[in-house]
Amino acid sequence: MKKQVTAADVGARIREIRKAQGVSQETLAGLAGTGQRYISELERGKETARLGEMLKVLNALGAGVYVLSHDEAVEWIR
């Protein structure tokens, strides 16, 4: 059975990428044009985090999103 990806999984991955790049939440917020509070909520997996803002954050990190069917699952969540 394949694991369902949650908002917490996405947030944890974003935090992992940010920390690997040595970027603070405050700096990332500035690069993405969002607030530090939003970055914190996103990384904690708050389910009401806005998708458009999340895409700005991913873009600022040089990361992206893949939308796959369940049959095309990629294990990017640890």
Side-chain angles (χ1 to χ4, degrees):
M1 178 178 235
K2 295 177 183 152
K3 179 181 186 262
Q4 182 174 347
V5 176
T6 67
D9 294 330
V10 173
R13 183 67 175 126
I14 289 171
R15 180 184 306 111
E16 183 180 293
I17 293 168
R18 176 183 62 77
K19 286 187 172 189
Q21 293 182 12
V23 177
S24 70
Q25 286 184 342
E26 186 175 332
T27 298
L28 178 56
L31 292 169
T34 66
Q36 186 274 329
R37 180 177 174 183
Y38 175 79
I39 301 297
S40 175
E41 291 175 351
L42 181 62
E43 289 184 356
R44 286 183 287 131
K46 185 172 180 182
E47 293 196 12
T48 57
R50 295 172 311 279
L51 180 59
E53 298 296 307
M54 182 186 73
L55 294 172
K56 289 179 185 178
V57 170
L58 290 171
N59 187 50
L61 289 171
V65 174
Y66 289 92
V67 178
L68 307 170
S69 72
H70 291 303
D71 295 332
E72 301 171 308
V74 172
E75 291 193 30
W76 62 277
I77 303 288
R78 293 182 195 173

